[in-house]
Amino acid sequence: MDSTMHGTVINKDRMFDRAGQNGYSRLLSDQTFLNKDTDDEFVCYGYKADQCKEGLFLFLVFLTGGLILLLLQWRPQMVCYLRKRRCSLNQADTILLQDTYKQYSLAFVNEKSFSRPETLLPSNHGHEGSDYESPSDSSSLTTQGELKFRYFDHQHVRYIWDRGGHLFSKLKDLSEGTKCVMIQESFHGLTAKEQRQKQVVYGENTIEVEVKSYWRLFIEEVMNPFYVFQIASITLWLCDQYYYYAACILFISLVSVGISLYETKRQSVVLHDMVTTKAQTIGVCRGEEIYEEVPTGNLVPGDVITIPQHGCVMTCDAVLITGTCIVNESMLTGESVPVTKTPLTPQEDEEVFSPDVHKRHTLFSGTHILQTRFYGNSKVKAVVVRTGFRTAKGELVRAILFPKPLDFKFYRDAMKFILFLGCMAALGMTYSIIVYVKQGVYPMRILVRVLDIITIIVPPALPAAMTVGTVFAQSRLKKKGIYCISPPRINFCGRLDVFCFDKTGTLTEDGLDMWGVLPIEDQGFCGAVEDPSRLEVGPFITCMATCHSLTMIDGELSGDPLDLIMFNSTKWVLDEPGRDTSKFDTIMPTVVRPCTKDTFSSPENPFEVGIIRQFTFSSSVQRMSVITRTLSEDGMEVYCKGAPEKIASLCLQDTVPHEFQDILHRYTIQGYRVIAVAYKKLDPKLTWHQAQRISRDKVEFDMNFLGMIVLQNKLKQKTKPVIHKLKEAKLRTVMVTGDMIQTAISVARNCGMVPPKDRVIIVEASPPDAHNPASIKWVTAETPDEGTDQYTDSDYTEDVHLDLDNPHKMQNFHFAVSGHSFGVLTTHFPEYIPRVVVKGTVFARMSPDQKLQLIEDLQNIGYNVGMCGDGANDCEALKAAHAGISLSEAEASVAAPFTSRIPNIECVLQAMREGRAALVTSFGCFKYMALYSFIQFVSVLILYTFDANLADMQFLYVDLVITTSVAVLMGYSSSYDKLVPQRPPGSLVKPSNLLSIISQVLLVIVFQIAAFLYLHFQPWYKPVKKDLNADNTYCWETSVIFLVSTYQYIASAFVFSKGPPFRQPIYKNVPFLLTLCVLFAFSTYMLMLPFSPILKFFAVMPLGERTVEFRSVLLALSVGFIFAACLLEYLIMDVKCTQKCLESCSNCCGQGNNKDHYKEIQNEIQLSDWPPVGQVTYAALNEPHIQIEEDFFRSQGEILVN
């Protein structure tokens, strides 16, 4: 029986005795927190059915004609407020959830029961010291033979009622709190009954993305407030006898809905196909070496599965306990390099399993098992730890299905502006009511007219027009090989302030070039050897040939690029002999041998080395090692390679040359990748079985230092030009890498992140120990010229800008921080984090979690952050950044919002250019739609004053022919070729934007009133006769206002469709420009060469009967408006003088103090004496210690003394 399921039932009296008064309070509580202090934190409230409220609600539905149901659709919390009453969580049948973004959702509590098992559910509140607690606190017994538990599902995560904690908590599995020893020793397979019982709790092992039917999608789409507004508007127009106009808008709306449904369905199908794994079966152990083939959907945590010899696609997260696997994880990471997975071997008894820490032993759902390796007749087995949406793949899919709301100022301001338009509509409605009441118009007609104003001032097409730029930008990015699974992120690309880059595979080439090796001879380095294959057969070259994770796949050697370069340079041969392993103690997976004449000429005793055991590379220990056995020799050896400083610390100190640090520094400062190697002979008594179970810390000590391998990691061809362009555009660039800090600094200098004249200050933070508190040492990094004479002395003296009054002061400096120091700063010096990330350019030896932390720290001080990486170790950071770009050959992966098939960082420039173009287009479309509304608003109010209105076809021409075509084609302009320092505006309510719109509206009012007054003073003019039953649409007032306003719509589109510096010039958008010209020509044709059928179609008075002078003046007024609008926008609003005046006014009014926090930090650093270079800052005192970096300051001619 599986020990994880063992438990006893605790009765209610004992439960309350143990829980005490606090537990009783929680039991009666009607709210609690879920996932507290995490990104998925929720506040949940309990509700249950209320018959009185339900009856009152039905009455409200009848009273409102069902309209109140729309409110429930838009505001889920109203379901609870109107139909249910608050209650304690243990009585609730409905849970109201509020997330950290103040968004509400509903979940319904269910109950499940099954026959009473001998083993029960795993506890969700296990106590320290126990592997699994009694499940009785997570369940209740309804009868002696039946077990019942309460739960609800939210966003594909299950929460169960924890009777011990008196709250709902997330259902846990073996990935949390399970000891590694337990996984190895306690899991021997579940019986079919146990599996079925667990499946009731955990559900099916599937990741199913629902593909909704067209009918369901249609209903959900129509319920959208935008389309509800459209339906209400169409209904109003039908009541007002605008039949043609209502019919056209209805047709366009249906087409729009159809396109939207098709695109939504297509994306759902694509995502469904991308994440769904084909149904298959897999072998499950039933104990005592009994195996049964079961569907993968039936798997539950605790199952022991066998991995097929020829591979499969994983459908769960499982930890290997026997055998090895070669895995392709590109689906999750975007990295297509095969990864070797080895069995979990506990390092200590209390070690707790974690999929992140032990990922080298974990097979993740969605990854493809290419091959398995097993010994003799044994099987490759793994223990299932997570299933369904709880897997790593499931979490990534959930992040796509339920993305965090994008807190973009543009969208917030858009809603504010729409509210402002609503206020303007209220004023217009008030004015109209006053005018119509004075005219004695019937109330029903007044109501229709007043409601019509809302459809004019708040255009229904506004939301669609705002997305036009994003749609075109996404299409252009796709043509360039950049795929986006989150289109709103494109606008974020337009506002980025800082871009973070991974180093290896992103800034530098994936592959490394072998520069040479530095072997040890007579306890000293004997000089560089460029061709390692020339070395005599011995420990050094044997280490290079064995210490790797390479494997043969389809006859081709594959694995980590570094391992490939290292092994190929030896010119040895790797064989995977399969089952013919008798000469290697019967169980040996891999053999290597030198490719020499002597090796093949003595078949009886060839020099062959068998790899007995691998300790895979881990970033936490910064090394990998192997246990080997050489044929015809007694005993085994351990070979180890990794970070030089780590390897040296594990070696006998008398084997490490005294010049080790100097030689290492000389190569790393020039950007070389340096790896140290070591070995030692193991106890001859060590058997193969012991070698398979021994922990790495019992063999990786007191080794002999062998030397160092020097590899060259060249910059990609496009890296330096792209970094240069980003720096020209005043964008911060930051390197976030797992490599050594000196190598990272060198690459940062070579690619241009750190200019040659700038200094780098290494922040060396140390945790507290028994004698000293935590401390920071501020050390200036050596520049290449100091070790290699790369620069002249004159160059060097210009590197640092010292203040003579304060020699500490350096204006142009960059921080370099290691992952270890970053962790110490976060824990012991949190007040320094904002300053360090503002001036930090190089972050080295960073773990994936620390990369994520850095992104969040930058965001917390106001930066809009971009991140570019290869996807392997950067998934969390890529998804957390405002714009994350994964360099991958896959068309789309779930690793990041953007996936680029361009294998270099040039995609960053393209994404940012398109982001800026899309953002500016969104601004332009919004301003145009706002001004279009105001033009029509002004026209209608003027006409209402004289009991007139625009005709049906006039509305149709303006709204469809002019506005729709212009708004769509406005976004067709492609991005500008160059990235400029200037940023696109990020706020619609910025003074310059508001003044631009207001000034254009005033201009519209002046010219429309001028045209009307000109008409009024004509000798032949007669005011329209008032009709209390209908509007006058065929009159001179309507004709003049309509014709003049058409020019105003065209002019507004022209002035708000700006080109450089973010978009191509307007003349390059040929369809848009051609449309404007045709519209202008048609309006002029109607005005100057009136053709009777056309005038009748548009309900325009017979202009041909009036003088040419009259028509010419109207044309002059219209053209004058075009010139005035252009003059106002381009020569007044866009000039720097006006912008500065507006900023000054904004500052005087207190509106300009919303400066980003990072800019304030930059100013503080600029005006202060910080950082205290050459000194030590202690956490306890937080004051510099008198320890000066004398060499540096002596080189400057001064020594600072505190």
Side-chain angles (χ1 to χ4, degrees), residues 785-796:
D785 59 303
E786 294 174 81
T788 63
D789 297 328
Q790 185 174 344
Y791 304 118
T792 64
D793 291 339
S794 60
D795 288 332
Y796 176 63

mmCIF file of all heavy atoms in Angstrom, residues 785-796:
data_model
loop_
_atom_site.group_PDB
_atom_site.id
_atom_site.type_symbol
_atom_site.label_atom_id
_atom_site.label_comp_id
_atom_site.label_asym_id
_atom_site.label_seq_id
_atom_site.Cartn_x
_atom_site.Cartn_y
_atom_site.Cartn_z
ATOM 1 N N ASP A 785 42.911 46.985 -21.094
ATOM 2 C CA ASP A 785 44.189 47.626 -21.361
ATOM 3 C C ASP A 785 45.182 47.404 -20.231
ATOM 4 O O ASP A 785 46.385 47.437 -20.438
ATOM 5 C CB ASP A 785 44.003 49.125 -21.582
ATOM 6 C CG ASP A 785 43.362 49.805 -20.382
ATOM 7 O OD1 ASP A 785 42.256 49.376 -20.013
ATOM 8 O OD2 ASP A 785 43.966 50.726 -19.833
ATOM 9 N N GLU A 786 44.664 47.124 -19.009
ATOM 10 C CA GLU A 786 45.570 46.937 -17.889
ATOM 11 C C GLU A 786 46.243 45.575 -17.949
ATOM 12 O O GLU A 786 47.283 45.376 -17.351
ATOM 13 C CB GLU A 786 44.789 47.086 -16.582
ATOM 14 C CG GLU A 786 44.267 48.497 -16.355
ATOM 15 C CD GLU A 786 43.380 48.577 -15.135
ATOM 16 O OE1 GLU A 786 43.908 48.664 -14.023
ATOM 17 O OE2 GLU A 786 42.158 48.541 -15.306
ATOM 18 N N GLY A 787 45.646 44.641 -18.657
ATOM 19 C CA GLY A 787 46.242 43.322 -18.731
ATOM 20 C C GLY A 787 46.773 42.979 -20.094
ATOM 21 O O GLY A 787 47.611 42.115 -20.233
ATOM 22 N N THR A 788 46.311 43.668 -21.125
ATOM 23 C CA THR A 788 46.665 43.267 -22.476
ATOM 24 C C THR A 788 47.227 44.396 -23.319
ATOM 25 O O THR A 788 47.524 44.204 -24.483
ATOM 26 C CB THR A 788 45.420 42.719 -23.191
ATOM 27 O OG1 THR A 788 44.454 43.767 -23.302
ATOM 28 C CG2 THR A 788 44.804 41.564 -22.438
ATOM 29 N N ASP A 789 47.344 45.594 -22.733
ATOM 30 C CA ASP A 789 47.840 46.752 -23.478
ATOM 31 C C ASP A 789 46.996 47.031 -24.713
ATOM 32 O O ASP A 789 47.483 47.472 -25.749
ATOM 33 C CB ASP A 789 49.310 46.558 -23.907
ATOM 34 C CG ASP A 789 50.227 46.446 -22.693
ATOM 35 O OD1 ASP A 789 49.911 47.092 -21.667
ATOM 36 O OD2 ASP A 789 51.215 45.707 -22.767
ATOM 37 N N GLN A 790 45.697 46.795 -24.554
ATOM 38 C CA GLN A 790 44.822 47.009 -25.705
ATOM 39 C C GLN A 790 44.637 48.485 -25.994
ATOM 40 O O GLN A 790 44.505 48.897 -27.126
ATOM 41 C CB GLN A 790 43.465 46.336 -25.450
ATOM 42 C CG GLN A 790 42.525 46.387 -26.636
ATOM 43 C CD GLN A 790 41.277 45.583 -26.376
ATOM 44 O OE1 GLN A 790 41.226 44.769 -25.465
ATOM 45 N NE2 GLN A 790 40.273 45.790 -27.204
ATOM 46 N N TYR A 791 44.608 49.297 -24.938
ATOM 47 C CA TYR A 791 44.438 50.717 -25.104
ATOM 48 C C TYR A 791 45.689 51.438 -24.645
ATOM 49 O O TYR A 791 46.488 50.933 -23.882
ATOM 50 C CB TYR A 791 43.231 51.232 -24.286
ATOM 51 C CG TYR A 791 41.957 50.534 -24.604
ATOM 52 C CD1 TYR A 791 41.272 49.798 -23.636
ATOM 53 C CD2 TYR A 791 41.414 50.601 -25.881
ATOM 54 C CE1 TYR A 791 40.094 49.148 -23.931
ATOM 55 C CE2 TYR A 791 40.232 49.961 -26.179
ATOM 56 C CZ TYR A 791 39.581 49.235 -25.192
ATOM 57 O OH TYR A 791 38.411 48.590 -25.494
ATOM 58 N N THR A 792 45.815 52.676 -25.095
ATOM 59 C CA THR A 792 46.984 53.467 -24.714
ATOM 60 C C THR A 792 46.789 54.070 -23.338
ATOM 61 O O THR A 792 45.686 54.092 -22.799
ATOM 62 C CB THR A 792 47.198 54.605 -25.726
ATOM 63 O OG1 THR A 792 46.064 55.479 -25.659
ATOM 64 C CG2 THR A 792 47.327 54.071 -27.139
ATOM 65 N N ASP A 793 47.873 54.599 -22.779
ATOM 66 C CA ASP A 793 47.782 55.232 -21.468
ATOM 67 C C ASP A 793 46.856 56.434 -21.496
ATOM 68 O O ASP A 793 46.142 56.711 -20.547
ATOM 69 C CB ASP A 793 49.174 55.672 -20.982
ATOM 70 C CG ASP A 793 50.048 54.461 -20.654
ATOM 71 O OD1 ASP A 793 49.459 53.385 -20.419
ATOM 72 O OD2 ASP A 793 51.275 54.600 -20.633
ATOM 73 N N SER A 794 46.880 57.167 -22.599
ATOM 74 C CA SER A 794 46.009 58.339 -22.693
ATOM 75 C C SER A 794 44.548 57.924 -22.681
ATOM 76 O O SER A 794 43.705 58.588 -22.098
ATOM 77 C CB SER A 794 46.307 59.133 -23.972
ATOM 78 O OG SER A 794 46.092 58.307 -25.108
ATOM 79 N N ASP A 795 44.262 56.810 -23.327
ATOM 80 C CA ASP A 795 42.891 56.308 -23.292
ATOM 81 C C ASP A 795 42.490 55.991 -21.862
ATOM 82 O O ASP A 795 41.396 56.283 -21.419
ATOM 83 C CB ASP A 795 42.752 55.023 -24.133
ATOM 84 C CG ASP A 795 42.834 55.316 -25.613
ATOM 85 O OD1 ASP A 795 42.477 56.439 -25.990
ATOM 86 O OD2 ASP A 795 43.235 54.418 -26.367
ATOM 87 N N TYR A 796 43.405 55.368 -21.166
ATOM 88 C CA TYR A 796 43.078 54.905 -19.819
ATOM 89 C C TYR A 796 42.820 56.065 -18.870
ATOM 90 O O TYR A 796 41.901 56.031 -18.066
ATOM 91 C CB TYR A 796 44.217 54.039 -19.288
ATOM 92 C CG TYR A 796 44.003 53.594 -17.879
ATOM 93 C CD1 TYR A 796 42.930 52.766 -17.560
ATOM 94 C CD2 TYR A 796 44.848 54.009 -16.864
ATOM 95 C CE1 TYR A 796 42.720 52.350 -16.267
ATOM 96 C CE2 TYR A 796 44.635 53.601 -15.567
ATOM 97 C CZ TYR A 796 43.576 52.762 -15.275
ATOM 98 O OH TYR A 796 43.367 52.364 -13.985
#
